[in-house]
Amino acid sequence: MRIDLHTHSTASDGTDTPAGLVAAAVDAGLDVVALTDHDSTAGWAEAAGALAQGAPVALVRGMEISCVADGISLHLLAYLHDDTYEPLVAELARARSSREGRARRIVEALGQDVPLTWDDVAAQARPGATLGRPHIADALVARGVVEDRAEAFRHYLHSGSRYHRGHYALDAVAAVELVRAAGGVPVLAHPFAAVRGRTVGDPVVEELADAGLAGLEAHHLDHDAAQTRRAIGLADRLGLLVTGSSDYHGTGKPNRLGELTTDRAVFEAIEAGARGVPVLRG
């Protein structure tokens, strides 16, 4: 089986619609794909509708939650949780609101130096999408300020940029506990990807494991060989699952669907451990 457990659609910062993502997963020869938009489950219904039309792929409904530990940004993949669980819903609404406020502040600062407005950014997002820095990057591309998202992040949107602004993120331990309470299975995304900025130490991962963390996304394009080995070794020591995923964003990143995958036994363990919503099969 070919299983990719980390992808994004236009419900957050991907460029494929949720239905388009399902179709792309079929074209890529995937047997299982997880839709994991940032702080949002808005794409679930459309993706499920694509399966109802007979798409020959299994859909794992999930989400990528922005959280923080020791002042360091983390991303938590939540699989098969109940998307109506109110305590988690409330936290996600707060996070999305903060993300948009942060994006507005970044645009205001950028607008002092380059031709960019909030309308430019809003035009890059699907209605209801979780707005973030990738949409700002796309607006900079549309304005001709940069050639692509990568250049936008290198010059304007990285965490050390003078245009950078913070936003609310859920405490990582609380995020793990909320996902578990919602019947979901939490996996820490790209935990040691130093290319993205500061990363947490092993004691933080140990604390998350004590709170209910199920696995580590060891096989990720932002991990080098040493970081992958570190994640696998830590997962083995803590009794955690090891996943691999593309982190596909459509044309927003060069990552290809199915470029990295998860073992069937790990997927089956995730499915068996979930109490929120089932895996959908076409």
Side-chain angles (χ1 to χ4, degrees):
M1 292 181 71
R2 300 193 68 235
I3 301 161
D4 191 338
L5 296 181
H6 187 170
T7 72
H8 296 271
S9 77
T10 51
S12 65
D13 57 346
T15 60
D16 293 350
T17 65
L21 175 65
V22 171
V26 173
D27 289 343
L30 292 179
D31 298 289
V32 181
V33 65
L35 176 59
T36 53
D37 283 310
H38 291 286
D39 300 321
S40 176
T41 60
W44 282 16
E46 182 180 328
L51 259 71
Q53 299 302 313
V57 65
L59 175 66
V60 175
R61 289 170 285 179
M63 177 172 54
E64 186 173 12
I65 302 173
S66 305
C67 48
V68 65
D70 287 351
I72 296 172
S73 176
L74 296 176
H75 287 176
L76 185 72
L77 294 162
Y79 297 122
L80 302 172
H81 63 283
D82 177 2
D83 64 324
T84 67
Y85 181 63
E86 184 55 37
L88 181 55
V89 169
E91 284 291 344
L92 294 171
R94 181 179 179 187
R96 286 194 299 273
S97 176
S98 179
R99 271 179 176 271
E100 179 166 331
R102 185 268 293 264
R104 287 181 179 273
R105 294 194 300 275
I106 291 174
V107 170
E108 182 179 356
L110 275 169
Q112 303 299 312
D113 298 322
V114 300
L116 185 71
T117 68
W118 182 249
D119 286 344
D120 295 329
V121 175
Q124 300 302 318
R126 188 180 185 183
T130 303
L131 287 167
R133 287 180 296 170
H135 300 109
I136 300 174
D138 290 344
L140 290 170
V141 173
R143 277 286 198 171
V145 177
V146 295
E147 290 191 1
D148 53 30
R149 278 189 181 183
E151 184 180 351
F153 273 86
R154 281 197 307 272
H155 291 294
Y156 298 107
L157 299 174
H158 60 88
S159 59
S161 166
R162 65 191 182 94
Y163 303 108
H164 182 73
R165 301 293 186 270
H167 67 94
Y168 171 75
L170 181 60
D171 173 76
V173 168
V176 168
E177 292 173 343
L178 282 170
V179 171
R180 283 296 194 182
V185 179
V187 171
L188 191 60
H190 42 70
F192 304 127
V195 67
R196 291 170 169 258
R198 292 192 300 153
T199 63
V200 297
D202 291 3
V204 169
V205 180
E206 293 167 2
E207 185 179 10
L208 296 176
D210 288 342
L213 185 70
L216 298 179
E217 187 186 48
H219 302 287
H220 188 279
L221 292 172
D222 287 345
H223 277 173
D224 62 22
Q227 291 159 350
T228 298
R229 288 193 300 270
R230 178 186 173 192
I232 292 171
L234 184 58
D236 182 64
R237 179 165 68 82
L238 297 177
L240 301 176
L241 301 172
V242 170
T243 69
S245 315
S246 67
D247 200 355
Y248 173 76
H249 283 69
T251 59
K253 284 185 177 181
N255 311 30
R256 302 187 308 276
L257 273 171
E259 192 164 2
L260 294 172
T261 56
T262 293
D263 289 344
R264 179 174 183 168
V266 172
F267 162 65
E268 290 174 346
I270 290 172
E271 183 174 16
R275 299 179 292 102
V277 297
V279 174
L280 296 179
R281 291 175 167 86

